[in-house]
Amino acid sequence: MLEEVRECSSQLDFCRQVAELIVAAGRDALEKRGRFTLVLTGGGTVQALYHHLAASDSRSAIKKILAETYFFLGDERFVPVGHPDNNGAMAWNLLLEPAGVAGSRFFRIRTDLGSAAAGATDYEKTLRGFFANKPDEVMPLPEFDLVLLGLGSDGHVASLFPGTDALFESERWVTTSFPPELAPAVARITMTMPLLNQAGEVIMLVSGSGKKATVRQILTEPERAAKLYPAALVRPGRRKVWLLVDD
Ligand code: 6PG
């Protein structure tokens, strides 16, 4: 795994660099595999990126790639789709809908099935159905082409929080979790670390000086950091790119 750290000079630089990375990964995936699968993140940092991508010219390289992308979510809060904390709604409203992406290309995590556990089971079934070549195929972990992840102040990624069972789930593709201390204090549905790590490439989106210190610790003391921060356990197949920007 190649690991790269980029200090962005501004939020615009941050957004432009992520857009370039998405275009490069998309072109490579479309050329080699005939489709591009992209996992989106929730949270606050990524929202500036979604605005930027949606505002790109319709003839831009990023818009052309987005039109050919299949979108997934790394995690979801167990709140109704109309709730302001719903990641799927945020991604749809800020990026996908304004970018003209067809709804059929966006695989949301359902939170209307009565429990987070039911939502996790349903999403895993959705993913198996998308990647399987035939119904009920017994299949290995699928490889998403690109995963976007934010970094929590406690070092979590998706909804894999430090010291939780979800973080150490080794069989399931999707599971449930509950944040030990961070808001919003609601049940979560999240992709598991093995599924995230099966991806070809991960882009870590990090804003704020406090998180930069965490990144520095992960890069300089990986073994120690792996015991503290889930982000240190993210090791995709090909490349992990850290994009850092001040608030
Ligand atoms: C979520 C996200 C979560 C987020 C980090 C960073 O559901 O909240 O998936 O993993 O990316 O908490 O969030 P900020 O970018 O808002 O700091």
Side-chain angles (χ1 to χ4, degrees), residues 1 149 157 193 196-197 202 204 230-236 240:
M1 176 191 85
L149 290 174
V157 292
M193 193 60 80
L196 294 172
N197 280 340
V202 169
M204 299 295 304
L233 300 174
V234 173
R235 297 190 182 107
K240 182 177 185 181

Side-chain angles (χ1 to χ4, degrees), residues 40-46 74-77 85 87 149-154 156-161 182-184 188 205 207 211:
L40 300 175
T41 181
T45 300
V46 77
D75 73 321
E76 185 56 278
R77 292 80 173 273
D85 285 339
N87 285 335
L149 290 174
L151 176 68
S153 54
D154 59 354
H156 80 260
V157 292
S159 283
L160 298 172
F161 300 100
L182 291 180
R188 308 295 184 90
L205 305 170
S207 64
K211 292 183 184 178

Side-chain angles (χ1 to χ4, degrees), residues 36-53:
F36 179 39
T37 54
L38 171 59
V39 179
L40 300 175
T41 181
T45 300
V46 77
Q47 296 186 25
L49 172 69
Y50 291 162
H51 277 296
H52 176 84
L53 297 180

Side-chain angles (χ1 to χ4, degrees), residues 15-16 25 30-31 45 48 61 76 79 108 150 193 232:
C15 293
R16 282 173 173 165
L30 289 166
E31 183 188 323
T45 300
E76 185 56 278
V79 293
R108 290 173 183 254
M193 193 60 80

